[in-house]
Amino acid sequence: MKMSEYIDEAESVLLHTYNRYQIVFDKGEGVYLYDIEGKRYLDFAAGIAVFGLGYNNKKFNDAVKAQVDKLVHTSNYYYNVPAIEAAKKLTKAAGMDRVFFTNSGTEAIEGAIKTARKYAFNKDGKNDHEIIAMNHSFHGRSMGALSVTGNPHYQEAFKPLIGGIKFADFNDLDSVKVLVNDKTCAIILEPVQGEGGIYPATDEFLKGVRKICDENDILLIFDEIQCGMGRSGRMFAHEYAGVKPDVMTVAKALGNGLPIGAFLVNEKAAALVPGDHGTTYGGNPLVCAAADKVFDIFEEEHILENVNEVGAYLSEKLDELVNEYDFITAHRGVGLMQGLEFNVPVGPIAKETIESGVILITAGTNVIRFVPPLIVKKEHVDEMLKTFKGVLDKVNA
Ligand SMILES: *Cc1c(COP(=O)(O)O)cnc(C)c1O
C-alpha cells in the first residue's frame, strides 16, 4: 500500500488528537528513520527526546528480545530480577533512595503528586494542601499532571482540575515566595522546561527553591522526564546546580522507546505505603530489562561524553544562526536539548524541514526544538544544518 493510502486508513480509525505530519515510518537505523516508501530522514527529534541510543541498537534489541522469550509480565504482587537491576541502577544514577516504576511520564507525575499530598497529610492530617507549579511548564495529560501544567490552553475544557495548585514564574524566586504558606506541600518544576520552549532553570533559582523547601518542610519535585537521562550532558539536569530534589520523575529516554517511567524519592519523602498506590504493568520485566540495558549502554558507549562534545558543537552552530537570520531571536539550551526562538510561526519551517529529510519538532508556536538521539555525531549536526539553512534561506527570500 502507498503512504497516502495508509494515512487515509489511519484517519478513518484513529481518534483525531494529533495533526500528524504526512509520513508513515517503517524502520530506523542509528540516527536515521525510513518511511515505508524508502525515503531516509535524519532524526533530530528522537521520538520526542525518547530514542536516546538510536534506532536498531543491537545490544539493546538483543536484551529486549531475550527478555521477551523469558518473561514479559507478572504484576507487582511478586518480585522480578530486571526490575531489581533497573531500580539499583536508576537510584544510583539519580542519587535517590527508592523508586516506583510507571508506564509513562504522566503517571510518574501522578505518583509524585500523591507522594507530596501524603507526606503533608502524615504531618497534619489535613486535606487542604497546595502545590506550587510553574507557568509554561509541561507535566503530562492525565488529570493530576494536567493540573500542574502551566498552560491554560491544555486545561480549559477539562476543568475542574485537582484543586490547590498555584502557578509561579519560572526563574523568578520572589514569585514562588509569595505563594508559600502553611498549606504548601510541594514545589514542582522542570530543571529545563521542554515543551514550554527550552528554558533552563538558573542555578540561583534551583538553590533558592531548595532553600524555601528546607525552611518550610516542603517537598521539592524535579520533573526530569525530558531533560533527564543524559540529555543535558549530565545524567540529570539538576546536577548542574548541585541541588537535590526530594522527589524526581523520569520517563522518555529511560526505556529507549519501551514505555517505562518512574518516580524516585529520598527516604524522607517515602510516604506512600501498601494500599496507597499501584500499577498493573508498571515495572514489568520487559520494560525493566530495557531500562537496565540503557544504563549499561550509557557506560559502555560513553553517552554522556558524546552529549557534551556534540552538544557544545550544536550550541555553537545555533548561536551562529541567531546572528545570521533576523527572524531568529534567541538560542537556549543545554547538551542535546536546544531551542531556537523565532519571531515568526515555526510550524511551516518545521514542516518544510521534515519534507526536506530532517526531522525537527517545535515547542509552542515559536520555538524549534533540537533533541536528537544522544549518539548523534558532529557530521550529523552539519548535515542537519545544511538542510535547515536551506529552508531558512527560502523563508528569508
Ligand atoms: C513528556 C513529558 C511528560 C509526560 O510524559 P508522557 O510519557 O507523555 O506521559 C511530563 N513531563 C515532561 C517534562 C515531559 O517532557
Side-chain angles (χ1 to χ4, degrees):
M1 238 169 34
K2 278 176 56 179
M3 207 147 77
S4 58
E5 292 170 311
Y6 274 116
I7 291 169
D8 288 344
E9 281 198 345
E11 289 305 329
S12 71
V13 287
L14 296 177
L15 188 65
H16 192 94
T17 51
Y18 284 94
N19 291 318
R20 296 171 206 260
Y21 294 106
Q22 302 296 294
I23 307 170
V24 184
F25 281 124
D26 183 36
K27 60 181 185 182
E29 188 66 49
V31 294
Y32 293 98
L33 281 166
Y34 296 82
D35 70 22
I36 59 165
E37 291 173 357
K39 180 172 169 184
R40 190 175 88 153
Y41 300 81
L42 172 61
D43 182 20
F44 264 66
I48 321 182
V50 168
F51 233 98
L53 305 178
Y55 301 99
N56 204 14
N57 180 303
K58 186 163 184 339
K59 281 187 221 164
F60 178 76
N61 289 3
D62 287 347
V64 172
K65 285 179 200 164
Q67 191 59 45
V68 167
D69 289 338
K70 218 170 167 191
L71 185 64
V72 169
H73 178 79
T74 60
S75 92
N76 283 304
Y77 288 162
Y78 322 98
Y79 301 94
N80 73 74
V81 176
I84 298 164
E85 291 301 325
K88 283 195 297 193
K89 287 174 190 169
L90 176 54
T91 50
K92 182 162 178 262
M96 303 292 285
D97 296 320
R98 293 178 182 276
V99 55
F100 182 103
F101 288 116
T102 67
N103 308 292
S104 65
T106 202
E107 284 171 78
I109 298 291
E110 298 298 325
I113 292 172
K114 284 179 74 174
T115 294
R117 283 194 170 175
K118 181 75 192 295
Y119 178 81
F121 180 82
N122 282 346
K123 282 193 297 182
D124 63 15
K126 290 187 181 159
N127 296 109
D128 59 354
H129 299 114
E130 296 177 355
I131 295 174
I132 299 173
M134 301 298 142
N135 288 317
H136 305 295
S137 61
F138 182 82
H139 299 292
R141 301 292 198 151
S142 52
M143 290 308 282
L146 183 61
S147 304
V148 290
T149 288
N151 183 332
H153 176 68
Y154 289 168
Q155 295 181 336
E156 186 51 35
F158 306 102
K159 290 180 175 174
L161 302 170
I162 72 164
I165 312 296
K166 291 176 167 176
F167 288 94
D169 289 328
F170 194 66
N171 279 339
D172 179 350
L173 202 55
D174 289 334
S175 78
V176 177
K177 277 184 192 156
V178 296
L179 299 179
V180 174
N181 61 40
D182 28 322
K183 295 179 190 169
T184 312
C185 68
I187 298 175
I188 181 167
L189 62 91
E190 300 150 83
V192 184
Q193 286 191 333
E195 309 293 316
I198 314 290
Y199 285 94
T202 62
D203 290 1
E204 187 194 5
F205 184 62
L206 294 186
K207 285 183 178 136
V209 169
R210 178 71 265 177
K211 188 153 172 276
I212 293 172
C213 288
D214 289 340
E215 285 168 2
N216 298 279
D217 195 16
I218 293 168
L219 294 186
L220 181 55
I221 304 170
F222 283 164
D223 179 351
E224 292 257 8
I225 290 171
Q226 187 162 158
C227 59
M229 293 302 295
R231 186 149 290 282
S232 71
R234 299 286 183 93
M235 205 59 195
F236 294 99
H238 67 263
E239 292 169 27
Y240 281 109
V243 169
K244 286 184 74 174
D246 301 298
V247 183
M248 181 167 99
T249 57
V250 190
K252 291 204 162 82
L254 176 60
N256 193 43
L258 267 76
I260 178 170
F263 65 92
L264 296 114
V265 295
N266 61 23
E267 220 49 84
K268 180 181 94 168
L272 298 177
V273 297
D276 280 345
H277 200 53
T279 167
T280 301
Y281 290 139
N284 87 21
L286 180 62
V287 295
C288 286
D292 179 27
K293 198 66 193 176
V294 165
F295 285 104
D296 291 348
I297 296 174
F298 257 81
E299 297 216 340
E300 290 161 18
E301 298 186 4
H302 310 287
I303 299 292
L304 285 181
E305 286 88 330
N306 190 64
V307 173
N308 284 306
E309 187 187 330
V310 182
Y313 185 69
L314 173 64
S315 183
E316 191 187 305
K317 294 288 164 186
L318 295 180
D319 275 343
E320 288 172 21
L321 295 188
V322 180
N323 293 330
E324 234 168 290
Y325 296 93
D326 284 346
F327 52 78
I328 303 179
T329 49
H331 163 227
R332 294 183 293 270
V334 280
L336 289 174
M337 185 174 181
Q338 305 276 342
L340 280 182
E341 191 173 295
F342 287 64
N343 62 15
V344 294
V346 292
I349 296 172
K351 185 165 177 281
E352 176 104 26
T353 310
I354 292 168
E355 281 162 9
S356 308
V358 174
I359 313 279
L360 288 176
I361 47 175
T362 59
T365 53
N366 68 337
V367 174
I368 296 256
R369 196 166 13 155
F370 301 83
V371 285
L374 306 178
I375 56 158
V376 73
K377 298 289 172 208
K378 285 181 187 173
E379 71 214 49
H380 302 124
V381 172
D382 291 337
E383 187 185 334
M384 179 277 291
L385 284 168
K386 192 164 169 255
T387 304
F388 187 52
K389 284 176 78 166
V391 173
L392 295 178
D393 288 338
K394 265 204 234 170
V395 178
N396 224 1

